[in-house]
Amino acid sequence: MTLRLRRSELATPGSSKRMIQKAASSHADLVFLDLEDAVAPAQKESARELTIEALNGLDWGRRTRAVRINAVNTVWVLDDIIQTVERAGDNLDVIIIPKVKAPRDVWFVETLLDQLEGKLRLSKRIGLEVLIEEVEALARVDEIAACSPRLEALILGVGDLSASQGVRIGHVSDPALRYPGDIWHYARVRMVVAARSHGLDAIDGPFPDYRDGDAYRREATHGSTLGCVGKWAIHPDQVPIANEVFAPTEKEIAMAKRMVEAYEAASSGGAGAGSASGLLVDAATVRIFQAVLQRAELVQGSSQG
């Protein structure tokens, strides 16, 4: 899997030239041009043309360039994949697949990409991200996570998952009737565990009220605590919050360095564990601190670029 920074994944309607231009100069780690939910049926064809033009014509810097195609059971998906890859494949890093229900949905896209990349002799392999936003997908998330070497990330899509699961929200405005806790805790953890167990990135889904930065920060922090490495942003104002929350702090980096050094010193002396700052570090816990340092290197590499 290609190692990418995904602290923020900025959603951008493929039908809006102005928004696409703004996204290309944003500080998002990944920008995806959306051909699915953000585009009305009558605009699907023109949005695809605008997306291809933007991939080829704009300066995207070090940002990962992605496209969310339409669902595999729609009349638009074939042209979404074939035309975009044939005409802009060298400038496309990732395809995001929505409404996945089973591995076969991923295999459909994978097979097309195998054929197109071979035919076009593209210089790199296009990665895949999959939205877990149907109850069928959540029920088979381990199978989906393991189904393709192109897979790089799973994304939790709570909007469509709400409908698929039959969630009732009409009483949400009444605090006395509100669900006690995070209604999406199980789904988020389930998705994170499946992603982690197969070496994929886990991405927390969108937060709809882009004007409420504090709430977005809270949701992002909860996702980060559970193991997500990034979050969707539906507005550029959410990007800096996600970039901050999903990056290690200087305090975390300093502690990780101390703990890794303590473990390495203990190991070289024949001990199975060491200590620093009053904390024990062994072969199990050192992995946590090594992951912090790896993430810090990714962030630093991005900022230098």
Side-chain angles (χ1 to χ4, degrees):
M1 185 185 86
T2 302
L3 198 60
R4 308 184 197 273
L5 197 59
R6 289 181 166 91
R7 296 169 300 176
S8 52
E9 296 200 350
L10 178 59
T12 308
S15 55
S16 173
K17 186 173 184 178
R18 179 184 63 83
M19 290 184 181
I20 292 173
Q21 290 174 335
K22 188 174 182 179
S25 60
S26 73
H27 293 290
D29 292 331
L30 178 149
V31 172
F32 71 90
L33 307 184
D34 191 9
L35 300 178
E36 196 215 9
D37 284 349
V39 179
Q43 295 181 303
K44 296 288 187 182
E45 306 290 339
S46 59
R48 187 189 305 125
E49 290 296 317
L50 193 57
T51 291
I52 292 169
E53 178 184 319
L55 288 172
N56 290 332
L58 295 180
D59 180 4
W60 295 91
R62 292 175 61 89
R63 278 165 289 282
T64 296
R65 302 155 296 182
V67 170
R68 176 163 70 163
I69 59 176
N70 285 283
V72 299
N73 62 343
T74 66
V75 298
W76 304 290
V77 67
L78 193 62
D79 285 339
D80 285 349
I81 298 170
I82 293 176
Q83 290 193 26
T84 304
V85 174
E86 282 188 339
R87 297 165 57 191
D90 283 327
N91 298 314
L92 178 64
D93 302 308
V94 169
I95 284 177
I96 299 176
I97 314 174
K99 307 296 191 296
V100 166
K101 292 186 177 181
R104 68 176 181 270
D105 299 328
V106 181
W107 295 335
F108 170 79
V109 180
E110 177 188 56
T111 300
L112 279 177
L113 287 178
D114 287 344
Q115 295 173 343
L116 286 166
E117 289 176 355
K119 173 187 174 182
L120 301 170
R121 298 181 181 178
L122 295 182
S123 59
K124 58 181 175 58
R125 185 171 73 170
I126 296 169
L128 295 176
E129 296 185 6
V130 164
L131 273 155
I132 305 300
E133 56 183 347
E134 301 287 337
V135 290
E136 295 91 339
L138 190 61
R140 302 181 65 178
V141 67
D142 284 303
E143 292 179 60
I144 293 170
C147 77
S148 172
R150 287 185 184 270
L151 270 181
E152 298 183 5
L154 302 182
I155 308 156
L156 186 65
V158 297
D160 281 293
L161 188 56
S162 296
S164 183
Q165 186 172 314
V167 171
R168 296 178 63 190
I169 59 174
H171 59 274
V172 165
S173 59
D174 186 345
L177 300 177
R178 195 169 297 159
Y179 186 83
D182 178 7
I183 194 171
W184 297 117
H185 180 75
Y186 166 78
R188 189 176 282 115
V189 171
R190 187 74 187 84
M191 185 269 296
V192 170
V193 170
R196 290 284 183 172
S197 64
H198 293 94
L200 309 180
D201 284 341
I203 309 299
D204 203 19
F207 183 78
D209 189 352
Y210 63 86
R211 296 165 297 184
D212 192 341
D214 291 339
Y216 181 81
R217 180 181 296 276
R218 181 178 64 250
E219 291 292 311
T221 300
H222 291 171
S224 176
T225 301
L226 292 173
C228 293
V229 301
K231 186 171 179 65
W232 267 17
I234 63 168
H235 190 278
D237 287 349
Q238 293 177 330
V239 167
I241 300 174
N243 286 350
E244 178 186 342
V245 169
F246 290 98
T249 65
E250 292 184 6
K251 183 178 180 180
E252 288 175 313
I253 295 170
M255 172 174 276
K257 287 180 178 178
R258 289 197 303 271
M259 301 306 287
V260 170
E261 289 170 358
Y263 176 76
E264 291 175 347
S267 296
S268 63
S275 63
S277 304
L279 298 175
L280 181 72
V281 57
D282 57 14
T285 55
V286 74
R287 294 170 58 193
I288 299 173
F289 299 111
Q290 289 170 334
V292 171
L293 296 181
Q294 182 186 53
R295 189 129 186 91
E297 289 178 5
L298 269 177
V299 174
Q300 183 179 16
S302 175
S303 62
Q304 289 176 345

